[in-house]
Short mmCIF file of all heavy atoms in Angstrom, two decimals:
data_model
loop_
_atom_site.label_atom_id
_atom_site.label_comp_id
_atom_site.label_asym_id
_atom_site.label_seq_id
_atom_site.Cartn_x
_atom_site.Cartn_y
_atom_site.Cartn_z
N GLN G 46 11.18 128.83 157.78
CA GLN G 46 12.00 130.01 157.51
C GLN G 46 11.43 131.24 158.23
O GLN G 46 12.18 132.00 158.87
CB GLN G 46 12.08 130.29 156.01
CG GLN G 46 12.97 131.47 155.65
CD GLN G 46 12.74 131.99 154.25
OE1 GLN G 46 12.92 133.17 153.99
NE2 GLN G 46 12.33 131.11 153.34
N ARG G 124 6.62 126.46 142.80
CA ARG G 124 7.49 127.38 142.07
C ARG G 124 7.47 128.78 142.68
O ARG G 124 8.50 129.45 142.77
CB ARG G 124 7.07 127.44 140.60
CG ARG G 124 7.34 126.15 139.82
CD ARG G 124 6.95 126.29 138.37
NE ARG G 124 7.33 125.11 137.58
CZ ARG G 124 6.51 124.12 137.27
NH1 ARG G 124 5.24 124.16 137.67
NH2 ARG G 124 6.94 123.09 136.55
N SER G 184 6.99 141.52 146.42
CA SER G 184 7.78 140.35 146.04
C SER G 184 6.88 139.16 145.75
O SER G 184 7.24 138.28 144.94
CB SER G 184 8.77 139.98 147.15
OG SER G 184 8.07 139.58 148.33
N ALA G 201 -6.89 132.74 134.34
CA ALA G 201 -7.73 133.41 135.33
C ALA G 201 -7.42 132.96 136.74
O ALA G 201 -7.48 133.75 137.70
CB ALA G 201 -9.22 133.15 135.00
N ASP G 242 11.34 164.09 147.23
CA ASP G 242 12.64 163.56 147.62
C ASP G 242 12.85 162.21 146.91
O ASP G 242 11.90 161.46 146.71
CB ASP G 242 12.64 163.38 149.15
CG ASP G 242 13.92 162.77 149.67
OD1 ASP G 242 14.05 161.53 149.59
OD2 ASP G 242 14.78 163.51 150.15
N GLU G 381 28.47 166.12 135.91
CA GLU G 381 27.74 167.35 136.20
C GLU G 381 26.53 167.04 137.09
O GLU G 381 25.76 166.13 136.82
CB GLU G 381 27.27 167.99 134.90
CG GLU G 381 26.59 169.35 135.13
CD GLU G 381 26.27 170.06 133.83
OE1 GLU G 381 26.81 169.63 132.79
OE2 GLU G 381 25.50 171.03 133.87
N LEU G 402 -8.15 161.23 136.53
CA LEU G 402 -9.37 161.58 137.27
C LEU G 402 -10.54 161.80 136.32
O LEU G 402 -11.69 161.45 136.62
CB LEU G 402 -9.13 162.82 138.12
CG LEU G 402 -8.18 162.65 139.30
CD1 LEU G 402 -7.94 163.99 139.98
CD2 LEU G 402 -8.72 161.65 140.30
N ALA G 455 -13.42 170.47 141.39
CA ALA G 455 -14.37 169.98 140.39
C ALA G 455 -14.05 168.54 139.98
O ALA G 455 -14.96 167.71 139.84
CB ALA G 455 -14.34 170.89 139.16
N GLU G 543 9.07 178.78 177.24
CA GLU G 543 9.41 178.10 178.49
C GLU G 543 10.55 177.13 178.23
O GLU G 543 10.52 176.37 177.26
CB GLU G 543 8.19 177.35 179.03
CG GLU G 543 8.46 176.55 180.29
CD GLU G 543 7.26 175.73 180.74
OE1 GLU G 543 6.24 175.72 180.01
OE2 GLU G 543 7.33 175.11 181.82
N GLY G 676 -7.69 126.04 132.85
CA GLY G 676 -7.77 126.74 131.58
C GLY G 676 -6.70 126.24 130.63
O GLY G 676 -5.84 125.43 130.95
#
Side-chain angles (χ1 to χ4, degrees):
Q46 183 196 150
R124 291 182 174 98
S184 65
D242 178 279
E381 185 173 346
L402 291 175
E543 177 184 5

